[in-house]
């Protein structure tokens, strides 16, 4: 865990995604982490366009870059970041100290933008080592890296745009706060890569679980489903690299066939969800359910593995892959319409995220209903049960009740943090986007 309480004063930008008027609420003096949080709330409430903040911290030693998506120095995101730091260094001593060298940039995007990304897109990646812990070395126990840090607002800044039209909306806001930098391309690319990295992290976790389950089940049909989905990764990875370097997608990538396989898997998940809901609706209200009755519709639900759990992980894998595809489609759409970057990006994201959110919330509802069931002992002629039968019932009860663990029923949108490590050569690594703890 990294201790940021001893960190020196660090610069912070306020970044707009359009030409917007807001009061000059930032000021020129240093501020605390609490004050920065208040500033974000004020900007979110007063501004017509989303306002993000960008902090610059010293790069932690031993940072695990394998969790993120690397982009080279000529990628649009890396160029926007370098140009923002270089341009503002001329007018700010705080920015000048961090314009070169290795740094950790932390962008916080407002909750009203995060809400457009769809339910379930951004959730904390829970640590298996610590109950309730958040995975990743960039956050403290409260989910923030800013505890105790002093922030210095960067004023009178202009972000020069990168080539290819992506900088068409970059500059200083026309009125209001001079410290408000219009940097839609930078925010767009950071959100795109952060969400893509988060979805890929979910994919990796699903793959690990599915592989373990299928080794136990020896189910050929499920293994085929897994192979079809896992085979989509290559096309998606190539398309991600091309788009984030502002290239054009071609049919040779095989993305169309990957999307077909993912949509087929989502169709299977929809049908399975309908059957699960129907099976739960048929159970008698308020009565205990025998394990044998439950396992007819949810095979293996009482075991550590089982077909039902494999179906859950296959659905999670399909959802994670689809979310990466949606981000790719949104970035492509936004790059084709450079005059309307952020609104186009959000519009494309929102279109398909609604269906994914409904599927994921439906699965979560099934798990919660299962976890609340009371299990009955098997009916039989014998008045006494063996110790083995009692042990099985207790184990099954424990496992089924734990199905609801980690499922959040709180759908409130939170601010989203995207952390970017910038290397000396200008290349960057973008880490999975995470919700900012309140």
């Amino acid at each position: 865990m990294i201790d940021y309480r001893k960190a020196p004063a660090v610069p912070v930008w306020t970044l707009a995604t359009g030409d917007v008027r807001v009061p000059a609420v930032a000021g020129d003096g240093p501020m605390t982490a609490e004050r920065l949080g208040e500033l974000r709330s004020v900007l979110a409430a007063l501004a017509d366009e989303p306002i993000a903040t960008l902090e610059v911290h010293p790069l932690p030693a031993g940072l695990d870059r394998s969790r993120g998506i690397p982009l080279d120095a000529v990628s649009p995101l890396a160029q926007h970041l370098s140009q923002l730091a270089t341009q503002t260094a001329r007018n700010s001593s705080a920015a000048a100290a961090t314009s070169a060298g290795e740094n950790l940039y932390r962008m916080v995007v407002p909750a009203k933008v995060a809400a457009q990304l769809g339910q379930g897109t951004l959730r904390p990646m829970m640590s298996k080592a610590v109950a309730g812990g958040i995975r990743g070395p960039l956050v403290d126990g409260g989910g923030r890296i800013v505890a105790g840090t002093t922030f210095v607002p960067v004023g009178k800044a202009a972000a020069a745009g990168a080539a290819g039209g992506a900088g068409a909306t970059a500059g200083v806001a026309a009125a209001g706060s001079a410290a408000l930098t219009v940097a839609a391309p930078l925010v767009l690319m950071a959100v795109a890569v952060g969400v893509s990295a988060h979805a890929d992290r979910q994919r990796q976790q699903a793959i690990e679980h599915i592989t373990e389950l299928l080794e136990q089940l020896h189910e050929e049909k499920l293994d085929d489903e897994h192979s079809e989905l896992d085979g989509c990764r290559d096309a998606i990875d190539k398309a991600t690299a091309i788009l984030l370097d502002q290239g054009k997608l071609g049919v040779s990538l095989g993305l169309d066939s990957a999307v077909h396989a993912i949509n087929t898997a989502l169709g299977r998940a929809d049908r399975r969800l309908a059957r699960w809901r129907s099976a739960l609706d048929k159970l008698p209200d308020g009565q205990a359910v025998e394990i044998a009755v439950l396992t007819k519709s949810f095979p293996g639900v009482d075991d550590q593995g089982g077909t039902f759990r494999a179906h859950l992980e296959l659905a999670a894998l399909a959802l994670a892959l689809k979310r990466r595809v949606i981000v790719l489609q949104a970035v492509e759409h936004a790059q084709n319409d450079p005059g309307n970057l952020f609104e186009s990006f959000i519009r494309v994201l929102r279109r398909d995220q609604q269906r994914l959110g409904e599927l994921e919330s439906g699965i979560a509802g099934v798990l919660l209903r299962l976890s609340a069931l009371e299990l009955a002992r098997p009916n039989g002629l014998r008045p006494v049960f063996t110790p083995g039968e009692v042990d099985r019932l207790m184990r099954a009860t424990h496992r089924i009740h734990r199905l609801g663990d980690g499922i959040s029923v709180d759908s409130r949108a939170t601010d989203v943090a995207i952390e970017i490590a910038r290397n000396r050569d200008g290349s960057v690594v973008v880490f999975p986007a995470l919700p900012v703890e309140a």
Side-chain angles (χ1 to χ4, degrees), residues 25-43:
V25 294
D28 297 323
M31 65 178 73
T32 63
E34 291 74 17
R35 172 61 178 153
L36 180 61
E38 294 173 359
L39 172 63
R40 291 193 188 106
S41 299
V42 172
L43 291 174

Side-chain angles (χ1 to χ4, degrees), residues 4 15 36 40 51-57 67-68 77 104-115 117 121-125 134-140 142-147 151 186-199 201 413-421 429-438:
Y4 284 86
L15 305 178
L36 180 61
R40 291 193 188 106
I51 305 294
T53 59
L54 181 68
E55 311 155 16
V56 190
H57 297 267
R67 301 182 306 110
L77 174 59
L104 177 66
Y105 290 79
R106 183 176 189 261
M107 181 181 293
V108 178
V109 181
K112 63 181 179 182
V113 175
L117 302 182
T121 302
L122 298 174
R123 288 183 177 177
M125 287 177 287
I134 302 297
R135 178 175 301 183
L138 302 184
V139 293
D140 63 15
R144 290 177 287 188
I145 66 171
V146 297
F151 298 91
L186 176 57
V187 178
L188 164 68
M189 296 305 293
V191 171
V193 186
V195 172
S196 185
H198 182 93
R201 192 69 173 170
T414 64
D415 292 350
V416 172
I418 302 161
E419 290 151 339
I420 306 168
V429 177
V430 184
F431 294 95
L434 290 172
V436 175
E437 298 293 328

Side-chain angles (χ1 to χ4, degrees), residues 115-373:
Q116 306 291 346
L117 302 182
Q119 181 182 0
T121 302
L122 298 174
R123 288 183 177 177
M125 287 177 287
M126 308 309 294
S127 170
K128 293 182 180 179
V130 181
I134 302 297
R135 178 175 301 183
L138 302 184
V139 293
D140 63 15
R144 290 177 287 188
I145 66 171
V146 297
T149 302
T150 299
F151 298 91
V152 180
V154 179
K156 301 180 180 179
T169 59
V172 176
S177 173
L180 188 65
T181 302
V182 183
L186 176 57
V187 178
L188 164 68
M189 296 305 293
V191 171
V193 186
V195 172
S196 185
H198 182 93
D200 192 56
R201 192 69 173 170
Q202 291 179 316
R203 180 197 64 80
Q204 293 174 27
Q205 291 176 324
I207 286 289
E208 293 172 1
H209 296 156
I210 292 171
T211 301
E212 182 179 349
L213 288 171
L214 293 183
E215 287 176 353
Q216 301 172 14
L217 289 172
H218 304 291
E219 287 275 356
E220 187 174 343
K221 290 183 178 180
L222 293 180
D223 193 54
D224 289 343
E225 288 186 37
H226 175 213
S227 298
E228 289 176 7
L229 282 174
D230 201 26
C232 301
R233 178 189 175 185
D234 186 61
I236 293 175
D237 285 348
K238 285 186 174 68
T240 301
I242 290 173
L243 271 182
L244 296 181
D245 285 337
Q246 218 161 0
K248 296 293 183 180
L249 297 181
V251 294
S252 61
L253 288 176
L255 193 59
D256 288 346
S257 59
V259 171
H260 174 73
I262 294 168
N263 288 340
T264 300
L266 289 173
R268 291 193 187 104
D270 275 325
R271 291 190 296 274
R272 286 165 180 161
L273 174 60
R275 290 198 297 268
W276 296 337
R277 282 173 164 167
S278 176
L280 287 171
D281 290 340
K282 292 177 182 177
L283 295 178
D285 292 336
Q287 296 183 25
V289 181
E290 290 186 41
I291 296 178
V293 173
L294 202 59
T295 54
K296 286 182 180 179
S297 300
F298 304 92
V301 70
D302 59 327
D303 202 353
Q304 191 68 31
T307 303
F308 173 66
R309 295 175 190 268
H311 286 165
L312 292 176
E313 295 298 341
L314 285 167
L317 176 58
L319 285 164
L321 289 170
K322 183 64 174 180
R323 286 197 167 104
R324 286 200 75 186
V325 169
I326 290 174
V327 172
L328 290 176
Q329 293 169 334
V331 172
E332 184 179 28
H333 186 81
Q335 289 180 351
N336 290 335
D337 186 12
N340 191 20
L341 283 175
F342 208 83
E343 290 183 3
S344 297
F345 177 74
I346 292 297
R347 184 167 56 250
V348 177
L349 274 179
R350 185 169 45 195
R351 188 179 303 156
D352 284 340
Q353 288 289 3
Q354 183 176 357
R355 179 197 172 194
L356 299 186
E358 290 172 353
L359 174 58
E360 190 164 53
S361 63
I363 293 174
V366 166
L367 294 177
L368 287 174
R369 290 177 68 182
L370 282 171
S371 68
L373 290 176

Side-chain angles (χ1 to χ4, degrees), residues 18-97:
D19 191 0
V20 59
R21 296 172 180 265
V22 296
V25 294
D28 297 323
M31 65 178 73
T32 63
E34 291 74 17
R35 172 61 178 153
L36 180 61
E38 294 173 359
L39 172 63
R40 291 193 188 106
S41 299
V42 172
L43 291 174
L46 298 180
D48 295 329
E49 300 289 340
I51 305 294
T53 59
L54 181 68
E55 311 155 16
V56 190
H57 297 267
L59 191 65
L63 185 63
D64 181 12
R65 289 174 168 81
S66 65
R67 301 182 306 110
I69 293 180
L71 299 173
D72 60 34
V74 298
S75 64
L77 174 59
Q79 288 187 355
H80 286 308
L81 202 58
S82 297
Q83 290 167 2
L84 175 67
T86 301
Q87 293 293 327
T88 54
R90 300 172 184 172
N91 302 305
S92 169
S93 58

